[in-house]
Amino acid sequence: QVQFVESGGGLVQPGGALRLSCLAKGGIFPTYTMWWHRQVAGKERELVAIIGKGNEGTKYADSVKGRFTISRDNAKNTLYLQMNNLTPEDTAVYFCSTIILGQRYWGQGTQVTVSS
């Protein structure tokens, strides 16, 4: 069974940048399609980006396209989300996840706050 540990969140000013990481423990990370989602308290979790098994097939939500980049290092069992030109609307808890045999496995999330 796989577990995910996100890190890299924090407080950043508008226009700033952060890089989130998601370390996979257990499982077979190179075989997983990976997702980043985010959630604001009281709202539904929304998709941010998806990446295929070998850094191919990336897709992004329209709200982050051109500012965020999803990538992975299969040798390090780690997923990344580079976030540039951040705005207050990007404030949320960010989660990584995968689906194995129809079940979604989530990390615990990392808080990103964009504020001056």
Side-chain angles (χ1 to χ4, degrees), residues 16-52:
L18 284 174
R19 188 175 81 154
L20 305 183
S21 298
C22 167
L23 174 65
K25 297 183 176 181
I28 310 173
F29 178 75
T31 67
Y32 303 149
T33 295
M34 293 295 301
W35 284 259
W36 282 106
H37 287 75
R38 65 187 181 186
Q39 187 171 24
V40 176
K43 296 188 177 181
E44 291 188 358
R45 199 165 293 189
E46 64 170 352
L47 174 67
V48 174
I50 307 171
I51 188 167

Side-chain angles (χ1 to χ4, degrees), residues 50-78:
I50 307 171
I51 188 167
K53 300 173 185 178
N55 267 320
E56 81 284 3
T58 58
K59 294 184 179 180
Y60 298 90
D62 287 343
S63 58
V64 307
K65 204 171 293 183
R67 300 188 298 121
F68 289 13
T69 302
I70 188 172
S71 63
R72 65 193 297 163
D73 185 336
N74 285 340
K76 295 182 178 180
N77 289 343
T78 302

